[in-house]
């Protein structure tokens, strides 16, 4: 269907800085997060968690806990066995080993913080009292902490049935990279490491299961990004049909990937509520969150880039070891993060010869899973460091080496050495725009003066491209048995003229109730305030997953467009009859349908009454429900790109890094709501700065976690995060409906590399390379001390 | 466990009298006993600031204070600021500047900002950032929060003149 011409004559709703629909309730304390829900007869869970990294469970004595005041039930893995079937994150990838996902540790524990016993009591206080009365007899087993050692034959095994700790190994290649690099006149290489981090959504995970005994049905209220995936998984684990299972993600207090997987505790509260026929709730405390929510990154990358004398890249090769922790996370698998590192390593550059090898290695630490950026913060860190190292070697500016290597506008679509296809996106334009915004040349002049005065002042550039809005032909993690590539919208005008639009996505801060209403309003001609967006509910549409992987604006926006257009056609047919005008002469906007060039119009409400309520106003054949369901599949996905530039100075006394300016020029295609895009970029950059400078999950050599509080795990505050400038280039995507590109993760992808390059730049008089993040004051102290000792 | 104790306090101008266990956190009392779930719990160890409320006009972590310690106190929570029908100027500025995303840290941010704006001139953005440094937000990168508070400070300064 072609867009009705009148859309161009009224103010655009898509693209407007519209204030969010979500805000009034959230600003007045009236939001409804899982833990806010007040339910009669509610029971509370506390988990006894493993304090061993790797141990056999010889015996568990729960007798005293069962007799403790207020305790209703105590469950171990044995008690759960008849209630729950184990799940596995399966994949068609060759040589992949799935691991069982159970609500409680069975036989062995494989990381500190793994739930072993669940105590259910009349209050959380009483449940925690009883935890102390449980005696577990652990037989310690050899810890599996170092991923390189764990990958060697003969290493102690976490999952004996897999026969190896290497859960997946893959290789991507094109051309003859070894020959290309051997022949290259300029070669730069390094061993890069990005340490383990974690999401730290400010709302900890929380799950409340209600059991409806009359029809043996369960509603799980879950602080999750993926209610659809969780519903489908529970159907398998609990052996129940989907219509007796509903997973609701109400207001969710941030996710960033940490709420993007199925968790043992979700299965536990459902099984317990069903067994006890009472509602059961578990809310994570922060220590549990830091020890047992999925973690991120943790890769070692050995990479080498060969270039010609002018700095044009000829070949790139890399070996990646990903420390994925104790389990292959459901449903994404252990391959999710490390495989994406080698998929995206070539970045936005023309590199003919490429080879990326990756191994995902199990260790006795918390599982890693999706985290904002997935793989690309590391791939960008490595590639952008190599670019700067090469520029320095050749003696050209970091801006110039990128400009020489970007895929050029006439080369799109461009297939990278790993097989990713970039559609047209503003690679060069973002670099130029970011440099212009910053006043790059002036800053370099200032830097020369600062350097002459002995100051450590640096400027760091990072350019990247990412695939967003991924369709059904490219799975988010290869070979998974779930479909992440489509999204469904059902739009319905009810008998009062109100519009309800339902989706499978699950907003947790992205403002999708606002942006999707903008898309619906634009294509239907309804008023934003008359549209309700239903999301975060597995029962909203027949098949759904949730919100992750920068997909929701692209996929749900596309589905909203298709469904709104279909409903609009139905509305116009009725309005045409009521107004006695040809459908082609009608204009829909602001909740009314008007005859162009006249003052004749009807409101949506009147159209709805004519269809549903007022017998006789329409001929029977026109009385069709004002509703449509449409599914959108972008098939491949689209490219989002950006350049980040950071300026910073290092305090020579304390080694504190102070970021001065941070500029982002990004191309996310057509903007739906610029206010929200700015917010997403700012937040992503703040997390990227955290990854670069502060945030690290630390395990010791016994697999004990040392960062189980927010005193030890440092999340940057307003005092550490700089003001930011964001420039938008709106190259409309040629491959997606509406021209949207996904952009929720980008900030976190570019920022670590930009900060690392700026620090290396600041310290270039000392010849220091920054190859490990986060670059804490302690690491800087060691690097600078070692460099100064050489002088 | 020691014996429950009776406490009297006012929350957002309403007087309450309850018998509570001495170990009951003020945050849990507000949320579960009074049903004022706008005060959120993010870390239970006084770092994230999501549970910030005003006790006697000073910002306090409701997760680091027992309900019994609030006996005789006057408490302000996010529910006392403004209503959906009429947001107060700070809430309106947060909306205008898109200073919230998931909304979970927002009540604590609003209470800290209320305290700061009442007490300090906040002449520079650095002062605002320093004042906010006890409240973690994971969504916004703080930029829009600083802008919203700056707008309220500017508006108040205009009124004084």
């Amino acid at each position: 269907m072609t867009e009705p011409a009148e859309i161009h004559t009224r103010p655009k709703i898509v693209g407007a800085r519209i204030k969010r629909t979500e805000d009034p309730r959230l600003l007045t304390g009236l939001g409804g997060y899982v833990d806010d829900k007040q339910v009669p007869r509610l029971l509370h869970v506390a988990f006894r968690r493993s304090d061993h990294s790797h141990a056999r469970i010889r015996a568990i004595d729960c007798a005293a806990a069962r007799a403790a005041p207020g305790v209703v039930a105590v469950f171990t893995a044995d008690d759960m066995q008849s209630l729950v079937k184990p799940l596995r994150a399966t994949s068609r990838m060759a040589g992949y080993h799935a691991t069982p996902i159970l609500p409680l540790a069975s036989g062995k524990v494989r990381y500190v913080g793994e739930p072993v016993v669940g105590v259910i009591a009349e209050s959380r206080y009483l449940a925690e009292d009883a935890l102390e009365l449980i005696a577990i007899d652990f037989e310690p087993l050899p810890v599996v902490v170092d991923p390189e050692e764990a990958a060697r034959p003969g290493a102690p095994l976490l999952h004996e049935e897999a026969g190896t700790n290497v859960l997946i190994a893959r290789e991507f290649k094109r051309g003859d990279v070894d020959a290309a690099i051997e022949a290259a006149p300029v070669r730069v290489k390094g061993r890069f490491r990005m340490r383990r981090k974690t999401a730290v959504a400010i709302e900890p995970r929380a799950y409340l299961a209600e059991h409806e005994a009359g029809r043996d049905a369960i509603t799980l209220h879950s602080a999750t990004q993926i209610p659809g995936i969780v519903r489908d998984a529970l159907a398998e684990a609990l052996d129940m049909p989907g219509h007796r299972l509903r997973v609701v993600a109400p207001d969710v207090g941030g996710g960033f990937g940490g709420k993007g997987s199925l968790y043992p505790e979700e299965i536990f509260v459902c099984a317990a509520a069903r067994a006890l026929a009472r509602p059961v709730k578990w809310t994570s405390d922060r220590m549990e969150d830091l020890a047992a929510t999925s973690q991120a990154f943790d890769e070692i990358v050995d990479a080498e880039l060969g270039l010609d004398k002018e700095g044009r890249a000829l070949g790139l090769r890399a070996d990646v070891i990903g420390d994925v922790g104790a389990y292959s996370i459901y449903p994404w698998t252990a391959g999710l993060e490390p495989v994406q590192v080698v998929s995206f390593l070539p970045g936005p550059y023309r590199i003919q010869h490429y080879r990326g090898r990756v191994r995902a290695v199990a260790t006795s630490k918390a599982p890693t899973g999706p985290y904002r950026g997935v793989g690309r913060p590391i791939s960008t860190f490595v590639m952008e460091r190599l670019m700067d190292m090469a520029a320095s070697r050749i003696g050209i500016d970091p801006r110039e080496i990128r400009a020489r290597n970007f895929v050029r506008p006439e080369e799109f679509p461009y297939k990278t050495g790993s097989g990713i296809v970039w559609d047209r996106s503003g690679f060069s334009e973002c670099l130029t725009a970011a440099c212009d915004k910053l006043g790059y040349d002036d800053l370099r002049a200032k830097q020369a003066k600062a350097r002459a005065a002995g100051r450590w002042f640096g400027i760091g550039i990072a350019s990247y491209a990412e695939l967003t809005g991924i369709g059904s032909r490219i799975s988010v993690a290869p070979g998974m048995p779930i479909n992440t590539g489509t999204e469904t919208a059902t739009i319905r005008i009810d008998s009062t003229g109100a519009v309800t639009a339902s989706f499978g996505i699950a907003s947790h801060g992205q403002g999708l109730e606002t942006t999707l209403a903008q898309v619906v309003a634009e294509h239907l001609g309804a008023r934003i305030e008359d549209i309700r967006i239903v999301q975060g509910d597995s029962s909203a549409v027949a098949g759904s997953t949730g919100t992750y992987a920068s997909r929701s604006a692209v996929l749900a926006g596309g589905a909203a467009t298709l469904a709104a257009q279909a409903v609009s056609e139905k509305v116009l047919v009725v309005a045409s009859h009521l107004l006695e005008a040809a459908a082609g002469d009608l204009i829909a906007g602001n909740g009314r349908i008007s005859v162009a060039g006249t003052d004749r119009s009807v409101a949506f409400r009147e159209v709805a009454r004519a269809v549903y309520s007022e017998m006789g106003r329409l001929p029977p054949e026109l009385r069709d429900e004002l509703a449509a369901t449409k599914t959108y599949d972008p098939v491949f996905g689209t490219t989002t790109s950006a350049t980040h530039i950071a300026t910073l100075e290092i305090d020579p006394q304390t080694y504190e890094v102070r970021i001065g300016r941070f500029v982002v020029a990004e191309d996310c295609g057509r903007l739906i709501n610029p206010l929200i895009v700015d917010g997403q970029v700012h937040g992503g950059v703040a997390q990227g700065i955290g990854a670069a400078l502060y945030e690290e999950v630390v395990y010791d050599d016994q697999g004990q976690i040392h960062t189980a509080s927010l005193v030890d795990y440092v999340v940057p505050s307003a005092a550490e995060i700089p003001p930011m400038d964001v420039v938008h280039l709106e190259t409309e995507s040629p491959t997606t409906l509406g021209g949207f590109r996904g952009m929720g993760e980008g900030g976190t992808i570019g920022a670590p590399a930009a900060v690392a390059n700026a620090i290396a730049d600041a310290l270039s008089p000392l010849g220091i390379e920054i190859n490990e993040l986060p670059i804490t004051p302690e690491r800087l102290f060691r690097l600078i001390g070692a460099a100064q000792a050489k002088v | 466990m020691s014996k429950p104790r009776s406490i009297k306090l006012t929350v957002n101008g309403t007087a309450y009298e309850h018998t509570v266990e001495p170990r009951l956190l003020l945050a849990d009392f507000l949320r579960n006993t009074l049903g004022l779930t706008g005060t959120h719990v993010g870390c239970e160890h006084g770092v994230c600031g999501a549970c910030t409320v005003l006790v006697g006009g000073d910002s306090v972590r409701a997760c680091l204070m027992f309900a019994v310690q609030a006996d005789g106190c006057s408490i302000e929570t996010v529910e006392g600021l403004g209503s959906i029908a009429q947001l107060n100027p700070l809430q309106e500025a947060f909306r205008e500047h898109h200073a919230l995303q998931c909304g979970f840290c927002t009540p604590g941010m609003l209470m800290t900002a209320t305290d700061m704006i009442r007490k300090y001139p906040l002449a520079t953005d650095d002062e605002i950032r320093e004042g906010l440094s006890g409240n973690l937000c994971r969504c916004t990168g703080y930029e829009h929060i600083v802008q919203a508070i700056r707008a309220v400070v500017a508006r108040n300064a205009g009124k004084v003149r």
Side-chain angles (χ1 to χ4, degrees):
Chain A
M1 173 184 155
T2 52
E3 238 184 11
E6 72 277 1
I7 280 181
H8 302 293
T9 65
R10 61 186 164 75
K12 285 276 182 191
I13 305 167
V14 167
R17 298 171 74 89
I18 287 173
K19 289 190 276 188
R20 299 199 319 167
T21 311
E22 296 89 340
D23 289 353
R25 69 172 189 265
L26 300 178
L27 284 162
T28 51
L30 297 174
Y33 302 87
V34 171
D35 193 63
D36 297 342
K37 200 169 168 59
Q38 314 268 328
V39 180
R41 302 180 69 238
L42 181 62
L43 294 172
H44 301 260
V45 183
F47 288 104
R48 175 70 180 267
R49 293 174 181 274
S50 172
D51 46 13
H52 285 258
S53 181
H54 189 200
R56 195 173 313 286
I57 303 169
R58 280 206 203 103
I60 304 176
D61 181 355
C62 302
R66 286 200 169 95
V71 170
V72 172
V74 178
F75 290 95
T76 65
D78 288 347
D79 304 314
M80 279 276 148
Q81 202 171 12
S82 61
L83 307 176
V84 174
K85 287 187 199 166
L87 298 174
R88 282 167 190 274
T90 56
S91 166
R92 295 186 301 273
M93 288 185 291
Y96 162 70
H97 302 282
T99 61
I101 307 290
L102 286 163
L104 295 168
S106 177
K108 289 212 305 190
V109 291
R110 295 179 178 88
Y111 64 95
V112 171
E114 183 170 7
V116 183
V117 183
V119 173
I120 298 179
E122 297 290 347
S123 82
R124 177 66 175 258
Y125 287 73
L126 293 170
E128 292 196 14
D129 289 343
L131 286 189
E132 295 170 23
L133 305 174
I134 296 166
I136 305 177
D137 182 7
F138 283 116
E139 175 193 342
L141 296 169
V143 295
V144 186
V145 170
D146 182 299
E148 291 181 291
E149 284 177 22
R152 290 192 187 113
L157 294 178
L158 272 187
H159 298 275
E160 287 80 2
E161 68 282 7
T164 172
N165 292 318
V166 180
L167 297 183
I168 182 76
R170 299 198 75 188
E171 179 176 297
F172 298 91
K173 64 179 173 184
R174 179 171 78 186
D176 186 348
V177 73
D178 292 332
I181 289 180
E182 303 312 320
V186 179
R187 290 165 65 174
V188 286
K189 66 176 181 180
R191 163 163 269 225
F192 300 89
R193 183 149 199 176
M194 208 144 169
R195 295 283 177 172
R196 190 171 269 249
K197 111 183 262 293
T198 186
V200 193
I202 303 297
E203 180 206 24
R205 291 187 290 122
Y207 310 123
L208 191 167
E210 292 184 275
H211 181 249
E212 193 187 323
R215 60 184 193 100
D216 185 25
I218 292 171
T219 300
L220 172 67
H221 305 269
S222 175
T224 183
Q225 300 170 225
I226 50 163
I229 290 172
V230 173
R231 196 274 305 268
D232 292 357
L234 289 174
E236 194 182 328
L238 302 173
D239 195 16
M240 292 168 81
H243 61 243
R244 280 165 40 213
L245 281 166
R246 180 178 171 203
V247 178
V248 179
D251 285 322
V252 173
F256 319 112
K259 293 173 184 163
S261 301
L262 173 76
Y263 280 93
E265 297 93 341
E266 284 177 298
I267 308 172
F268 180 90
V269 294
C270 291
R274 196 181 189 194
L276 301 172
R278 284 182 68 175
V280 171
K281 178 174 82 170
W282 171 72
T283 301
S284 174
D285 66 25
R286 187 54 67 182
M287 192 170 91
E288 293 179 295
D289 178 68
L290 289 164
T293 291
S294 70
Q295 300 176 351
F297 303 165
D298 210 350
E299 278 116 359
I300 301 166
V301 182
D302 287 295
E304 182 167 18
L305 178 68
L307 309 95
D308 69 18
K309 285 180 196 154
E310 282 76 45
R312 289 182 196 87
L314 302 171
L316 171 68
R317 63 187 170 198
D319 276 286
V320 177
I321 287 194
D323 177 345
V324 297
Y327 293 92
S328 180
I329 202 151
Y330 190 97
W332 312 110
T333 82
L336 177 71
E337 159 82 26
V339 172
Q340 294 222 47
V341 177
V342 286
S343 291
F344 289 95
L345 195 61
Y349 305 114
R350 263 179 292 118
I351 305 174
Q352 188 51 42
H353 302 277
Y354 175 64
R355 186 183 63 229
R357 290 179 179 146
V358 59
R359 285 174 293 166
V361 183
T363 60
S364 49
K365 303 172 193 169
T368 62
Y371 169 71
R372 200 174 198 170
V374 184
R376 292 155 298 185
I378 300 94
S379 67
T380 303
F381 166 55
V382 172
M383 192 63 213
E384 294 304 282
R385 286 296 302 125
L386 290 170
M387 278 287 164
D388 268 24
M389 290 159 76
S392 163
R393 182 81 58 81
I394 297 163
I396 59 175
D397 191 272
R399 174 173 62 177
E400 182 56 29
I401 195 164
R402 288 171 176 81
R404 285 181 195 177
N405 281 287
F406 280 138
V407 175
R408 288 188 295 259
E410 68 275 14
E411 292 173 318
F412 295 116
Y414 177 85
K415 193 174 204 172
T416 70
S418 62
I420 302 285
V421 177
W422 300 135
D423 61 56
R424 186 169 58 84
S425 182
F427 294 1
S428 309
E429 295 86 340
C430 285
L431 176 65
T432 304
C435 288
D436 289 351
K437 184 74 186 175
L438 185 75
Y440 185 79
D441 295 325
D442 289 350
L443 261 177
R444 283 285 178 209
K446 267 189 206 163
Q447 179 187 34
K449 282 187 196 152
R451 196 165 273 171
R455 287 161 54 197
W456 290 333
F457 176 86
I459 304 167
I461 301 178
S463 299
Y464 67 85
E466 56 168 330
L467 204 57
T468 65
I470 292 170
S472 62
R473 289 283 288 278
I474 301 178
S475 224
V476 169
M480 289 177 311
I482 62 166
N483 169 25
T484 61
T486 63
E487 184 62 39
T488 301
T490 296
I491 300 181
R492 203 179 67 203
I493 302 177
D494 67 25
S495 52
T496 70
V499 181
T500 302
S502 305
F503 299 87
I505 53 98
S507 190
H508 45 282
Q510 295 87 346
L512 288 158
E513 288 175 47
T514 305
T515 47
L516 292 176
Q518 288 179 254
V519 175
V520 173
E522 173 109 3
H523 292 283
L524 191 55
R527 300 185 306 176
I528 294 242
E529 55 268 37
D530 292 337
I531 299 168
R532 181 183 172 224
I533 301 296
V534 175
Q535 49 81 40
D537 185 340
S538 67
S539 64
V541 294
S544 64
T545 55
T547 286
Y548 51 86
S550 300
R551 72 188 292 277
S552 296
V554 178
L555 274 76
T561 302
L562 294 174
Q565 287 170 345
V567 175
S568 176
E569 282 188 47
K570 294 187 179 191
V571 169
L572 293 180
V573 166
V574 176
S576 162
H577 183 85
L578 296 177
L579 292 165
E580 297 177 338
D585 294 336
L586 300 179
I587 300 170
N590 205 26
R592 299 190 75 83
I593 297 96
S594 322
V595 182
T598 75
D599 57 0
R600 286 155 56 215
S601 69
V602 284
F604 271 61
R605 186 189 166 89
E606 295 167 60
V607 171
R609 289 185 60 81
V611 170
Y612 297 112
S613 312
E614 296 173 348
M615 298 299 110
R617 283 199 77 183
L618 293 173
E621 66 273 17
L622 291 188
R623 305 182 71 87
D624 188 15
E625 191 189 27
L626 299 173
T629 295
K630 292 284 174 187
T631 294
Y632 174 58
D633 179 354
V635 187
F636 290 103
T638 187
T639 305
T640 301
S641 60
T643 290
H644 291 204
I645 308 182
T647 73
L648 54 78
E649 185 152 4
I650 301 164
D651 184 319
Q653 305 297 318
T654 64
Y655 297 154
E656 183 192 14
V657 175
R658 296 293 302 177
I659 299 177
R661 291 187 62 189
F662 203 103
V663 174
V664 175
E666 60 87 35
D667 180 5
C668 72
R670 186 174 175 212
L671 304 180
I672 299 175
N673 186 329
L675 204 57
I676 286 176
V677 173
D678 281 346
Q680 289 290 314
V681 173
H682 294 161
V685 166
Q687 290 191 15
I689 290 172
L693 297 175
Y694 308 106
E695 297 182 40
E696 181 178 354
V697 176
V698 178
Y699 283 92
D700 68 13
D701 58 7
Q702 292 305 303
Q704 291 293 332
I705 184 167
H706 283 215
T707 47
S709 83
L710 291 179
V711 177
D712 304 298
Y713 187 88
V714 181
V715 171
S717 80
E720 286 81 47
I721 298 300
M724 297 170 211
D725 289 308
V726 184
V727 184
H728 305 292
L729 287 103
E730 291 191 70
T731 314
E732 288 196 16
S733 169
T735 61
T736 66
L737 204 55
F740 311 135
R741 303 175 195 262
M743 53 71 54
E745 298 170 274
T748 309
I749 296 172
V755 171
N757 277 343
I759 293 175
D761 184 47
L763 298 175
S764 62
L766 294 169
I768 288 172
E769 299 296 356
I770 301 300
N771 293 353
E772 182 175 8
L773 295 181
I775 182 74
T776 57
E778 185 189 341
R779 290 201 175 105
L780 270 181
F781 174 78
R782 290 178 196 283
L783 284 172
I784 292 170
Q788 286 173 334
K790 272 191 224 158
V791 175
Chain B
M1 258 180 286
S2 43
K3 273 192 203 151
R5 284 176 44 185
S6 177
I7 57 169
K8 286 184 190 176
L9 70 173
T10 68
V11 181
N12 303 325
T14 302
Y16 294 94
E17 187 168 354
H18 276 273
T19 301
V20 298
E21 270 190 58
R23 68 174 178 173
L24 183 68
L25 295 178
L26 177 59
D28 288 341
F29 173 76
L30 292 170
R31 290 177 52 77
N32 302 332
T33 310
L34 301 187
L36 296 172
T37 54
T39 298
H40 296 155
V41 177
C43 75
E44 292 181 283
H45 55 271
V47 179
C48 81
C51 66
T52 304
V53 298
L54 305 186
V55 178
D58 295 322
S59 59
V60 159
R61 313 287 207 207
C63 75
L64 291 187
M65 188 167 167
F66 294 114
V68 293
Q69 292 175 291
D71 189 20
C73 292
S74 172
I75 293 176
E76 295 165 75
T77 72
V78 68
E79 285 91 347
L81 294 182
S83 64
I84 283 188
Q86 184 145 26
L87 298 176
N88 84 3
L90 180 66
Q91 291 167 313
E92 190 54 54
F94 265 57
R95 189 174 186 210
E96 183 74 35
H97 290 271
H98 185 34
L100 68 157
Q101 291 181 26
C102 79
F104 197 81
C105 76
T106 306
M109 285 285 177
L110 289 169
M111 299 320 289
T112 296
T114 298
D115 189 25
M116 283 162 58
I117 291 168
R118 282 181 191 165
K119 289 178 182 162
Y120 305 106
L122 303 175
T124 66
D125 284 357
D126 280 351
E127 284 173 58
I128 294 174
R129 286 177 182 274
E130 192 59 38
L132 289 176
S133 64
N135 289 70
L136 299 179
C137 171
R138 206 53 163 158
C139 295
T140 64
Y142 306 103
E143 177 77 16
H144 285 161
I145 296 176
V146 173
Q147 287 175 14
I149 294 172
R150 163 69 47 228
V152 174
V153 170
R155 187 188 139 127
N156 290 349
K159 268 190 198 159
V160 172
R161 259 183 252 123

